[in-house]
Amino acid sequence: MPRRSQRVNQDLYTRGGIITECDPDFCIVRLRMPAGMISPEQLKGLGEVATRHGIGKIHLTTRQTMELPHVETSKLEALVDDLARNGTPLGAEREEVVNVTACLGTRHCKFGIIDSVGLAEEIDKKFFGKELPVKVRIAISSCPNGCESERLNEIGITGIQRPIRDPGLCTGCGTCTNYCREKAISVQDGIVVLQQNLCMECGFCIKPCPFHLIRGTDPEYRITVGGHRGRHPKMGRHLIDVKTQEDVIRVVDKIIYWIYRQASSGSLLPEQLDELEFDEFKKTIVKMIEG
C-alpha cells in the first residue's frame, strides 16, 4: 500500500493543475472551471473542502478559475479526490489546453452576439487537458468589445454581426451614427453611408434604429491564432470566419491537430508561427476545413 500511495502522489505531479511553490513541500492546486462558471452549491462546497484541508485563502486567477495555495504535498491526493466530488476538479497549466475562458455572452449581456459560455463549455468537453508541445489558451468574446482579450490568446474566438441597411426606406435620421464607436457610419445628403473598412462588425448600430430598418446578418465567429500575453504581448492574426458553433469546433480541432503534429516544444506558438510563415499555416487550416 505505501508503494501504491507513493506512485499515485507522483502521478499527481505530472498533471498541470499541480504547481510547485517556492517551498517544494507545498503546492498550488489550480481548478478546472470553463468560462469561470460555478454554482452556489459548488462554491459553498469548495469553501468547505478548503477549510477541511487547512487552506486559509482561495486565489481567483486571470483565466477565470481558482487556485488553492500552500497545500501540503501529503494532502494532495485526498484534496484532489474531494475537489472532483465537489464538481470543481483539478485544472491544467502545462503544455496542454488550459482553462477555456469566456464572457457572459448572449445569456446575460445586451451587447452579446454569440453564446460564448455554451461554446466554452463545448470546447472544454472536447479539448481540455489535451497534451501538446506548447501551452494553448482559448478565449471567447461574444462581441468585438473583446472583454476576454481573446485576441491575446493562442486561439481567440470573437462573435461578429454585419449590419444590413435598406437605403430605400432609411430616413437618414442619423440615430445609428450616435451608436457607432468607430465612426464608420455617416449621413451624407440624407443618406446613411457605411465605411466598411472602419466597421468592426459589432452590431451596435442595429438595435437603436427607431424604424428597425437596419438588420443584421446571422451571427458569425471570427477565429484568430497566435496571440499571447506574457512578457511580450502579441495580437493573434485572423484565420477564418465561420457561421456555426459546429464549424468553430471543427476549426479548433484542426488547429490543435496541427499544433500536435507540427509545433515544437521550447518556444511559444506565436514565435513558431513567425518562423513557419502564418500564410502557409492559414492555407493548411483552410484546406483541411474545406476538405
Side-chain angles (χ1 to χ4, degrees):
M1 283 296 291
R3 291 182 179 178
R4 180 180 181 278
S5 177
Q6 184 177 8
R7 184 172 66 252
V8 172
N9 281 329
Q10 187 62 38
D11 290 342
L12 281 176
Y13 281 101
T14 67
R15 300 172 65 181
I18 306 296
I19 306 166
T20 304
E21 290 190 0
C22 48
D23 182 344
D25 290 330
F26 293 89
C27 292
I28 301 165
V29 177
R30 182 167 294 178
L31 308 184
R32 175 182 182 179
M33 203 170 291
M37 303 300 283
I38 183 172
S39 71
E41 292 77 15
Q42 289 172 328
L43 189 60
K44 179 181 177 181
L46 182 59
E48 293 171 350
V49 169
T51 300
R52 187 158 60 248
H53 290 273
I55 300 165
K57 298 286 185 179
I58 297 178
H59 178 234
L60 304 180
T61 77
T62 59
R63 292 207 60 81
Q64 296 185 338
T65 184
M66 298 182 183
E67 293 175 336
L68 308 181
H70 213 56
V71 177
E72 294 181 33
T73 55
S74 60
K75 296 181 178 180
L76 275 177
E77 189 171 2
L79 174 61
V80 169
D81 288 343
D82 284 349
L83 290 171
R85 281 191 290 269
N86 187 56
T88 50
L90 191 64
E93 167 59 18
R94 296 177 182 160
E95 286 70 30
E96 53 196 342
V97 177
V98 300
N99 201 58
V100 182
T101 66
C103 65
L104 288 175
T106 51
R107 297 188 182 186
H108 304 284
C109 180
K110 62 184 178 180
F111 298 124
I113 296 174
I114 61 173
D115 179 10
S116 47
V117 173
L119 179 57
E121 291 171 343
E122 289 302 313
I123 290 176
D124 170 84
K125 290 177 186 176
K126 188 171 179 62
F127 303 110
F128 174 82
K130 183 176 179 60
E131 295 183 10
L132 297 167
V134 295
K135 182 187 296 185
V136 172
R137 305 166 186 86
I138 303 174
I140 308 164
S141 285
S142 186
C143 78
N145 268 354
C147 295
E148 273 310 303
S149 301
E150 74 285 358
R151 283 157 282 185
L152 290 174
N153 285 258
E154 279 77 9
I155 301 176
I157 303 162
T158 310
I160 59 172
Q161 187 173 35
R162 301 178 179 87
I164 303 174
R165 299 170 298 110
D166 190 333
L169 296 176
C170 179
T171 65
C173 70
T175 300
C176 54
T177 66
N178 297 322
Y179 285 87
C180 180
R181 300 182 181 182
E182 307 305 316
K183 307 300 181 185
I185 305 175
S186 60
V187 179
Q188 300 177 14
D189 298 326
I191 300 174
V192 171
V193 177
L194 173 66
Q195 297 185 58
Q196 294 285 357
N197 62 314
L198 296 179
C199 179
M200 286 197 68
E201 300 169 344
C202 63
F204 287 7
C205 63
I206 297 171
K207 292 181 181 179
C209 178
F211 304 105
H212 307 292
L213 298 176
I214 300 180
R215 295 175 292 110
T217 61
D218 291 335
E220 295 186 17
Y221 305 79
R222 176 157 292 161
I223 301 175
T224 55
V225 177
H228 182 64
R229 291 183 181 180
R231 294 166 65 94
H232 303 285
K234 184 173 183 177
M235 293 284 284
R237 284 171 283 188
H238 177 225
L239 180 68
I240 193 173
D241 295 347
V242 296
K243 298 183 181 298
T244 68
Q245 181 170 299
E246 291 73 22
D247 288 338
V248 175
I249 299 295
R250 289 179 60 223
V251 172
V252 172
D253 183 57
K254 299 303 181 184
I255 295 171
I256 290 178
Y257 177 77
W258 185 93
I259 292 172
Y260 180 77
R261 295 296 300 270
Q262 300 292 334
S264 57
S265 59
S267 62
L268 300 171
L269 180 63
E271 298 170 355
Q272 298 187 47
L273 284 178
D274 282 344
E275 297 169 3
L276 297 171
E277 298 182 3
F278 177 76
D279 289 342
E280 291 301 317
F281 169 78
K282 183 173 183 177
K283 290 177 183 177
T284 300
I285 294 298
V286 170
K287 184 176 180 181
M288 291 169 72
I289 294 301
E290 292 176 344

